């Protein structure tokens, strides 16, 4: 049996900018947990690096 190729067509009466904003909102909402986890991980890494003591050898003039 031969497979059919699906062909989708969408009619969007909105301007392109409105459609782009709507799609962006959907993507942000869908990935909010991932973004929050990445921010938390970066904050934890930064705070961990701040706690590491740094040894610096002073130079005499």
């Amino acid at each position: 049996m031969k497979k059919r190729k699906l062909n989708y067509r969408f009619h969007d009466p909105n301007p392109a900018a409105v459609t782009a904003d709507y799609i962006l909102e959907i993507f942000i909402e869908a990935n909010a947990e991932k973004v929050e986890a990445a921010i938390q991980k970066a904050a934890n890494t930064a705070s961990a690096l701040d706690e590491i003591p740094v040894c610096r050898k002073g130079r005499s003039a």
Side-chain angles (χ1 to χ4, degrees):
M1 181 175 190
K2 186 177 178 181
K3 287 189 175 184
R4 287 187 179 181
K5 182 178 178 182
L6 297 177
N7 187 6
Y8 294 100
R9 293 182 189 177
F10 296 95
H11 173 71
D12 186 8
N14 298 319
V18 173
T19 302
D21 286 341
Y22 181 72
I23 292 171
L24 179 62
E25 287 179 28
I26 291 171
F27 287 157
I28 290 171
E29 185 178 329
N31 291 308
E33 290 180 23
K34 290 180 184 178
V35 172
E36 288 176 13
I39 291 171
Q40 186 64 41
K41 182 178 178 182
N44 290 343
T45 302
S47 65
L49 290 176
D50 289 341
E51 294 174 3
I52 297 174
V54 177
C55 295
R56 296 185 182 180
K57 294 182 179 180
R59 294 183 184 177
S60 58

